[in-house]
Amino acid sequence: MLHLKLMQFRRRCTTHVLAMACVLLTSPAMAGVMLHCTFDSMESIQKPETVPHAITGKALEAITSGKGTITFEPSPHGKAVRLHGSQQNNELIRMNPGCIDLSRSGRMDFTVRFNRDPHDIRQEFYLIAETRWPINFQLEVLPYPKGQSNLAAWVGAEERGTDKLLFASCGDKYQPAGPWSRIKAGEWHRITLAWWKKEGKDDSIQLFIDGRSTESSMKDVTGKLPDKGAWAALNFGGNAFGHLAFDISLDDLWIFDNPDDSPEAYDKSLRPGQQPTAH
């Protein structure tokens, strides 16, 4: 896997006013933004969107069952959506697969707070999981003994269901001084998943936490990202049945069609950070 590094983001930001709290954008000033959602309210999730390409249905939906109730609470960016992680009472945010175009390079950023200790867990839980089986797009936290865990991203390749998966991770066991090991319950952190399309070579993905690169513990899992439209819907907060969930709060979701883009380019209130660069 190609080595990635971080560089300081130096561009001056300009102010852009969002017409809606959650919108797929077509403005030339934000042409690189595929999706932005503030999660300030249920309306911000459910409000109809304008789209730069044809998708069927809404970009985002709130999914509940049983006694599941999605709530909103204060966050550094205003408000955030809380998914309580009950295994019997589902609370999910479902994203239309058309919001991510893996046929070209891009990235996803979101801010998350783990409302319980994400290191001291007995079973894995999903931050993001594809609704179709086998799950070929997932961002999950895996348990290790002695209060340790591992944040891992798996993105399927053209041959679904094979070992041709792109993989990136950061964990207590393999990177004891890494950015994942520093995350504590009740803190807000930005997680970034970036992907790069490479002509004639294996594609690559990489995880970043608060702008810091994470090094994968496995470097022999390779492949090519699939064409656009290969995915089913993606769930934030559990799998298609709401299982393997965790008590998390989500805020400020961005999806870009360029891995070197970043939220700071569009939101002046954000503190300039670091962004991934492939070379």
Side-chain angles (χ1 to χ4, degrees):
M1 184 177 290
L2 295 177
H3 177 68
L4 304 177
K5 70 175 183 178
L6 300 173
M7 73 175 187
Q8 187 69 32
F9 179 73
R10 298 182 183 278
R11 286 183 292 173
R12 292 184 179 272
C13 298
T14 57
T15 302
H16 298 281
V17 179
L18 294 178
M20 294 187 293
C22 175
V23 60
L24 286 172
L25 297 128
T26 57
S27 166
M30 301 186 75
V33 181
M34 302 296 292
L35 174 69
H36 177 221
C37 185
T38 62
F39 292 126
D40 282 341
S41 64
M42 190 63 72
E43 183 183 9
S44 75
I45 299 171
Q46 297 176 336
K47 199 167 186 178
E49 299 86 10
T50 57
V51 297
H53 55 279
I55 64 172
T56 301
K58 294 183 178 181
L60 295 170
E61 293 183 273
I63 306 295
T64 60
S65 66
K67 297 181 179 179
T69 302
I70 292 175
T71 59
F72 299 86
E73 57 191 16
S75 77
H77 302 295
K79 287 188 177 181
V81 60
R82 183 162 184 175
L83 309 176
H84 297 84
S86 171
Q87 302 296 335
Q88 292 77 33
N89 304 304
N90 300 340
E91 300 169 7
L92 303 166
I93 301 297
R94 185 161 295 168
M95 184 169 70
N96 191 303
C99 296
I100 295 185
D101 183 2
L102 293 176
S103 67
R104 58 192 298 178
S105 300
R107 68 184 269 179
M108 174 195 300
D109 294 72
F110 61 91
T111 305
V112 63
R113 184 180 71 188
F114 298 95
N115 297 310
R116 305 197 328 257
D117 185 355
H119 306 280
D120 188 14
I121 56 175
R122 295 186 178 182
Q123 68 173 9
E124 67 189 84
F125 66 87
Y126 290 117
L127 288 174
I128 305 174
E130 186 184 11
T131 58
R132 180 170 53 182
W133 185 262
I135 297 175
N136 275 239
F137 191 118
Q138 56 188 288
L139 181 61
E140 63 180 334
V141 178
L142 301 166
Y144 282 125
K146 301 179 180 179
Q148 295 182 323
S149 66
N150 182 65
L151 175 67
W154 301 85
V155 181
E158 291 173 339
E159 303 174 59
R160 287 183 60 90
T162 73
D163 60 355
K164 287 290 185 178
L165 292 167
L166 300 177
F167 175 82
S169 74
C170 181
D172 301 321
K173 181 177 180 180
Y174 297 102
Q175 298 91 23
W180 175 252
S181 65
R182 300 179 184 181
I183 289 181
K184 296 182 175 64
E187 298 177 344
W188 289 98
H189 295 274
R190 184 197 294 180
I191 294 179
T192 301
L193 176 64
W195 54 92
W196 288 267
K197 298 289 291 184
K198 300 180 183 299
E199 187 69 29
K201 300 179 181 179
D202 284 330
D203 298 332
S204 62
I205 65 171
Q206 187 71 356
L207 280 169
F208 296 80
I209 298 175
D210 296 328
R212 292 186 58 197
S213 173
T214 67
E215 291 295 332
S216 297
S217 58
M218 296 171 58
K219 298 181 180 295
D220 57 346
V221 186
T222 58
K224 297 293 291 182
L225 291 168
D227 291 333
K228 180 179 175 182
W231 304 110
L234 302 180
N235 284 332
F236 287 82
N239 63 15
F241 306 102
H243 300 158
L244 299 179
F246 198 74
D247 188 354
I248 60 174
S249 299
L250 293 175
D251 196 12
D252 216 29
L253 170 66
W254 296 80
I255 299 177
F256 303 94
D257 64 3
N258 183 344
D260 291 331
D261 218 333
S262 74
E264 288 84 2
Y266 305 97
D267 189 341
K268 187 177 179 180
S269 67
L270 297 178
R271 184 172 63 182
Q274 293 175 311
Q275 66 178 19
T277 300
H279 67 109

